[in-house]
Each structure stands twice: as C-alpha cells, then as structure tokens.
Amino acid sequence: MTSDDVNDCLFCKIVAGDLPADVVDTSDRVVAFRDIDPKAPVHVLVVPKEHHGDVSVLAAADPQLLAEVVEVADRVAHDLADGQYRFIFNSGPRAGQSVFHVHGHVIAGTQLGWTPA
Ligand code: 5GP
Ligand code: ZN
C-alpha cells in the first residue's frame, strides 16, 4: 500500500466522511453502508476503516480485524433482514473486484439464486 492508494481510495473517502454514504452500522474499526447499486433488497458493504486492498491482504495483516468485519456483517444481516445472508468478497478484477479497499457484500432480504459466473 502506498499513500496514493489511500488518497485515491473511494472507500477511504467514505470512511473519512469526505463522500456521503448511507451508513447502517459502525464499530470502532469497521463501517457498513448501503451499496449505491443494490443487487438485493439488502445490499450492504462492510469495510475496515483502515485501508487494505483485498481480503487476502487483510487476512494476512490483521485477522482480528477481518473477524470484526464478519461480526458487523452478521449484525447487519440480523438488523436489516432475517439473519440469513450471503457474504461475498470479490478478490481481484477477474472475480469482479472494482474498488480496491477490501469490502464484503452482505446480500439478504430475498431468496437468493446461485449464478456467480
Ligand atoms: P466490487 O465490485 O469491488 O466487489 O464492489 C464494489 C461495490 O461498490 C459495487 O457493488 C458498487 O455498486 C459499489 N459502489 C461503487 N461506488 C460506490 C459509491 O460511491 N458509494 C457506494 N455506497 N457504493 C459504491
Ligand atoms: Zn481505502
């Protein structure tokens, strides 16, 4: 990670409050906000406040922080839906990652299909 990664990072700007977002949950080190282009009735992005590029980097750098991301995701799914949910980390461009600040997608609120490719 270079300082430019952080300075140009959309989700770092949302975490800092420099860009608006519909925040639905926060903890000391994690923020959850609604996806701007929702794919389900509940589609929330859960991000660590600290910049890490993807889940692989986060898992290696700070596994406890990854656990906190999962904890917030689970809480969001219980608060905004019925606690049944999918939690997706797109990791790398070929997997569909377009924002390179690690984020998990909480997808819930409907019967989900399974057509990832
Ligand atoms: P990825 O494709 O990296 O897994 O997911 C990035 C997600 O960020 C996409 O689902 C996209 O809709 C969402 N997104 C992109 N820009 C913004 C934004 O400015 N605000 C919010 N809330 N979501 C965004
Ligand atoms: Zn960032």
Side-chain angles (χ1 to χ4, degrees), residues 5-6 9-13 48-52 100-102:
D5 290 327
V6 175
C9 175
L10 181 64
F11 289 172
C12 279
K13 289 177 181 156
K49 293 178 181 174
E50 193 174 277
H51 183 96
H52 296 276
F100 293 88
H101 178 135
V102 59

Side-chain angles (χ1 to χ4, degrees), residues 10-11 14 19-22 33-39 43 45 88-92 95-101 103-105:
L10 181 64
F11 289 172
I14 286 176
L19 284 176
D22 185 356
F33 53 91
R34 290 188 194 272
D35 197 291
I36 204 167
D37 181 19
K39 302 294 191 288
H43 187 172
L45 303 176
I88 300 165
F89 291 91
N90 294 327
S91 190
Q97 186 175 9
S98 61
V99 178
F100 293 88
H101 178 135
H103 51 283
H105 298 249

Side-chain angles (χ1 to χ4, degrees), residues 41-59:
V42 174
H43 187 172
V44 170
L45 303 176
V46 185
V47 311
K49 293 178 181 174
E50 193 174 277
H51 183 96
H52 296 276
D54 62 31
V55 70
S56 175
V57 173
L58 175 60

